[in-house]
Amino acid sequence: MSQTLGTTRPRVPAGLYVEVQAFYAYQLPLLEDRKVEEFALTFTEDGVYAHAKDGWELTGREQLVTEMRKALPHYGTSIFRHWFDKLVIEERPDGTVAVAFRSLVSVTDEQGQVTFEPSATIHDELVRRDGELLTRRRTVRHDIPDPARYWSAKLD
């Protein structure tokens, strides 16, 4: 999927817009609740989760589950939440749905202190399987020049 949507402002039916919002309202809390297997099921069997600036990709549900399980201990007992808005949705002739949105992750520790992860732009390619939306490809592009450096310092 290209990293930009079309040059004209996409107009999508209200029903599709609401369906996409409902999909993310279901998908993102699964990860927040550390339900990585259920989160992976919101991707196609061969779905890809990629970080554009770091150049890494996770391919397939099994790899997604394995790597998410490794990453979750970074948060310890803190609660993290995904905040997303500015959805731009484009229904493509082949039936795929391209979505771009802005995302921010807040992290609340046991003392109530709130911090934020670097903001990001997410580009998703959604497809339908048995009438349900699934993510075929997600590309995360953080709004900092060197995400690998930021994360490596946080994970030490």
Side-chain angles (χ1 to χ4, degrees):
M1 181 175 93
S2 69
Q3 291 300 309
T4 58
L5 296 175
T7 56
T8 60
R9 184 173 53 185
R11 300 200 186 271
V12 295
L16 177 60
Y17 193 88
V18 169
E19 182 183 19
V20 169
Q21 280 191 316
F23 172 73
Y24 291 122
Y26 171 74
Q27 182 191 54
L28 296 173
L30 292 172
L31 191 54
E32 296 166 355
D33 293 340
R34 294 165 165 81
K35 296 178 179 179
V36 292
E37 292 83 4
E38 292 92 335
F39 176 77
L41 291 174
T42 66
F43 283 73
T44 59
E45 194 66 40
D46 60 347
V48 174
Y49 190 109
H51 272 243
K53 290 183 179 179
D54 290 338
W56 58 263
E57 290 186 355
L58 305 176
T59 302
R61 291 176 178 162
E62 185 176 325
Q63 188 178 27
L64 184 60
V65 167
T66 299
E67 295 305 317
M68 292 284 178
R69 278 191 188 141
K70 288 181 192 175
L72 285 175
H74 156 73
Y75 294 103
T77 58
S78 295
I79 304 296
F80 60 97
R81 298 284 184 237
H82 293 85
W83 305 94
F84 64 98
D85 71 350
K86 298 181 181 71
L87 287 141
V88 177
I89 301 168
E90 182 180 1
E91 194 168 22
R92 297 199 168 142
D94 66 359
T96 61
V97 179
V99 182
F101 62 93
R102 306 295 192 252
S103 178
L104 185 63
V105 176
S106 64
V107 182
T108 306
D109 69 18
E110 288 184 3
Q111 289 72 43
Q113 293 289 352
V114 179
T115 57
F116 294 95
E117 305 277 330
S119 56
T121 299
I122 313 300
H123 290 270
D124 276 359
E125 181 178 61
L126 305 179
V127 296
R128 289 192 189 283
R129 297 289 188 268
D130 300 321
E132 297 291 325
L133 289 175
L134 295 174
T135 305
R136 181 161 55 194
R137 181 172 187 85
R138 170 164 295 157
T139 303
V140 177
R141 185 176 297 275
H142 281 101
D143 298 332
I144 56 175
D146 188 1
R149 185 173 176 187
Y150 171 84
W151 293 114
S152 65
K154 300 276 282 181
L155 297 174
D156 289 339

